[in-house]
Amino acid sequence: MINRPYLSSIAFRLPFAIALICVLVFSLAAIAVYGLQRAREEMAAYGLQAFSSLAKASLVSRQVSDLVSSAPFLMNATSPYRVSSESRSVVAQVDTLLRTMQPEDGDKTVRGFASARIVELLETIRNQTMTLAGDADSAQQHKAEAAAALGEIATGSGIADADLRHRLNAIVQSASNSDSLFQLGELRRRYVTETTPRLERASPDTRIAAAELAPYERVFEAQTRYLLEMFSIRAAVARLHVVSRDLSHATETQSEAVARGLNEDLVSTSDALSRLLVIVAFAALLVLAMSIFSIRSVMRVSRGIVSLSNGMNALAEGRRDVETPSYAGSETELVRLLEAFRAFRESVERVSRLRRTAEAAARTIRSTFRTMNEGIALFDPRGAPITMNRRVMELVGWSGSARKLPLRRFVGPIPEIDPALLPADGDGGTLGSRSVLRHRSPENRVTEISLSRQPDGGIVLLARDVTDIDRQEAEAAKAQRLDGIMRMTHQVSHEVGNMIGIITGSLGLLEREAGFNDRQKRHLARIRKAADRGRSLAGSMLSIGSQQPIRPGAVEIGTVLRGMADVLEIAVGEKCRLVFDIAVDLPTVQLDAALFEQSVLNLCLNAAAAMPGGGTILIRCVKAEGGVVVSVTDDGIGMSPDAVDKAFEPYFTTRDGEGGAGLGLAVVYGFMRQSGGDARILSVPGEGTTVELSFPA
């Protein structure tokens, strides 16, 4: 039993298709032979029909010729009525012949049949015969008018003179029977001779009235028109006689030509059909031979294709022990396929290695794309999303549902981006060169957004978190600004110290002098007090300028903080509560303990001032990477970002009306710089402030 795969194979379908084609070709050949045979039979029948039609046309032509030839004798022997009836019979015969010569629907026109000359002659005969019939009718009418006038003469009293009436009656009787205009003219002269004297010179007794002669006049007039019509009939009969001879000659000539042409066509058609039969038979034999050869070739080719297909499938399945298929034929395509198979087999392993490498690279790229710290999103020229990683959605401020948002909606959370720069449906956007901007979120997270256009018009959006970089840049700018302030403060404090030194030296010399009264001594005391205050201020300015002499030593910060608890509680007041969070096993640091205590005290005083209604001050000391971090936190009114940026500057204070000098945090900052550490302020308005002091271990 034939299985289903074999029915679907080339080895079965190609021979089956060729065999089916052969069957169809033989069927078509048989149909063609049958059709040609039928055409031959129909051609013979058509020739017989054409000969019959020509014979009928010749018969009708002879009948017309005979009728026209005998018309003059009939006209002399009979009345015009017979001429009219015979003419109408001829017209009917001509019409019948014309209809016979016109091919019916579906009939084929025979060469030479119903030529234009014959049709023209028949039309001429018909027209002349119709004219002849009209003339005969007119002659008959004139004859009837003459007969009516004779009847009126015969029945009426007419002319009173019997002898004259008898002579005139004889004249008009002869006139009515005359057959020539000459005879009728003689009779008319005799009539005029008889009637003229009676009309002009006769006496009233013999005079004839014109009304009495009216019937005689009508006889002569009707007979004259009758003879004229008969003359026209004779001329028409003569013309018909000539046309009939031409028609007979044309019909005979055309019949001979048609017969000769039909005979030649039949012979030619028969020969062509015979040749066609031979060609069809030869083509059938050739198709049979070619079919046998094609089936054998196709079977050989199909076996080669099956062998190649099996080898290719084996290579596609990953088998490495596939041998090159064998093929003994000489077909160019299969030989080239075998060569291509060898090359393909050699490259399969290389392609497999490349595919594995590409897959590994693709996995690496996908993993990198998904896990990279920077966000990236690609959009097409219409602003539709192509792909993006999760990081870009986090940085822009969207959840995972934003992957299908168009570009303009996707950047909606970033008001710094102008939507007109970006493409949308029907709008390509005005973005040209690369555009970079920064966005600060309400949580003080800073995101750098980069927009650039690809060569195909698409948009690449890059986003990265630059909060730390922004903070470092801000810190660097602030440090640079503070360094300038510190250098200026150091120079001022140095100059002030020199001047105060001169003042105090001169004041000491004055104080050694005697003879001052009490008032002058009070003035000197005030000068001394102002000089001492100036010296203290200059010392503070040296501390701010990181120029105050320090005496660092190994200090355990936790122990120092615990020892300051009583002093700090008194300094912050009863409304504020101190809370210590000090880690154990803290490393020692190199710093000046006295200046450290002064810095912590300044921070606690600032924290207490930020909480007028009281609150909690948290002092925390923890071990950090590479050192120790001490922080003072309050839950007071907090500071604005601008105030945080300027807090370490000398003489900057938010408590101008409360007596603050603005040197406390500046002193702390100067101390931290001299100690090799760093100070940082973290604050949110309305939520409190934290000041962190970082010391290296």
Side-chain angles (χ1 to χ4, degrees), residues 147-206:
L150 288 174
E152 183 179 352
I153 293 172
T155 57
S157 58
I159 301 172
D161 188 352
D163 184 48
L164 178 61
R165 184 172 65 249
H166 179 73
R167 289 195 303 272
L168 292 178
N169 288 345
I171 290 173
V172 295
Q173 186 67 34
S174 297
S176 64
N177 294 325
S178 64
D179 56 356
S180 67
L181 291 174
F182 178 78
Q183 184 181 3
L184 183 62
E186 288 295 327
L187 293 173
R188 177 73 176 175
R189 186 183 59 79
R190 288 174 56 190
Y191 169 77
V192 172
T193 302
E194 292 288 341
T195 57
T196 300
R198 300 298 181 104
L199 292 173
E200 296 178 355
R201 297 182 300 274
S203 61
D205 295 335
T206 61

Side-chain angles (χ1 to χ4, degrees), residues 191-405:
Y191 169 77
V192 172
T193 302
E194 292 288 341
T195 57
T196 300
R198 300 298 181 104
L199 292 173
E200 296 178 355
R201 297 182 300 274
S203 61
D205 295 335
T206 61
R207 183 177 297 174
I208 301 174
E212 294 177 352
L213 297 178
Y216 298 94
E217 294 290 339
R218 289 199 302 271
V219 171
F220 280 104
E221 183 179 357
Q223 188 65 19
T224 300
R225 288 197 297 266
Y226 170 74
L227 291 177
L228 291 174
E229 292 293 341
M230 292 305 293
F231 181 78
S232 298
I233 290 173
R234 290 188 185 96
V237 169
R239 290 194 299 271
L240 282 174
H241 188 68
V242 174
V243 174
S244 65
R245 287 199 306 270
D246 294 341
L247 178 61
S248 298
H249 180 71
T251 304
E252 292 175 359
T253 304
Q254 193 69 19
S255 299
E256 293 176 359
V258 170
R260 185 172 56 255
L262 287 174
N263 188 35
E264 292 175 357
D265 290 343
L266 288 175
V267 173
S268 176
T269 303
S270 179
D271 294 341
L273 290 175
S274 300
R275 288 193 298 271
L276 184 60
L277 289 173
V278 174
I279 292 173
V280 169
F282 179 75
L285 294 176
L286 182 61
V287 167
L288 179 60
M290 291 299 295
S291 300
I292 296 174
F293 177 76
S294 299
I295 290 174
R296 293 186 61 186
S297 299
V298 168
M299 292 180 66
R300 183 179 68 255
V301 171
S302 64
R303 285 194 296 268
I305 292 175
V306 169
S307 178
L308 282 171
S309 176
N310 293 333
M312 295 294 289
N313 291 330
L315 288 177
E317 292 173 359
R319 293 170 52 187
R320 300 183 180 180
D321 55 347
V322 180
E323 297 294 335
T324 302
S326 59
Y327 180 68
S330 60
E331 284 75 12
T332 305
E333 292 80 5
L334 285 178
V335 171
R336 292 179 178 176
L337 281 175
L338 288 174
E339 295 175 356
F341 179 85
R342 296 187 186 95
F344 179 74
R345 186 187 61 181
E346 294 173 357
S347 62
V348 163
E349 186 176 356
R350 182 171 63 256
V351 172
S352 299
R353 289 196 302 269
L354 292 175
R355 184 177 61 184
R356 289 192 296 269
T357 304
E359 290 176 352
R363 287 193 299 269
T364 302
I365 292 173
R366 286 196 298 269
S367 176
T368 303
F369 182 77
R370 293 172 182 172
T371 60
M372 62 189 301
N373 191 43
E374 287 75 16
I376 182 171
L378 303 178
F379 297 87
D380 64 12
R382 296 182 295 106
I386 298 175
T387 184
M388 62 182 69
N389 59 5
R390 183 176 296 277
R391 181 59 175 168
V392 72
M393 292 185 288
E394 295 175 355
L395 293 176
V396 174
W398 290 103
S399 60
S401 60
R403 290 185 180 275
K404 298 182 179 180
L405 291 178

Side-chain angles (χ1 to χ4, degrees), residues 593-613:
L595 293 178
F596 172 72
E597 292 176 354
Q598 182 64 39
S599 298
V600 173
L601 178 61
N602 288 341
L603 295 178
C604 290
L605 291 175
N606 287 341
M611 299 184 295

Side-chain angles (χ1 to χ4, degrees), residues 502-518:
I502 295 173
I503 293 173
T504 54
S506 300
L507 184 59
L509 294 176
L510 288 174
E511 287 177 344
R512 293 194 184 99
E513 297 292 334
F516 292 106
N517 55 27
D518 293 337

Side-chain angles (χ1 to χ4, degrees), residues 564-576:
M564 294 177 62
D566 296 337
V567 176
L568 295 177
E569 288 179 354
I570 295 173
V572 300
E574 297 179 354
K575 294 182 179 181
C576 297

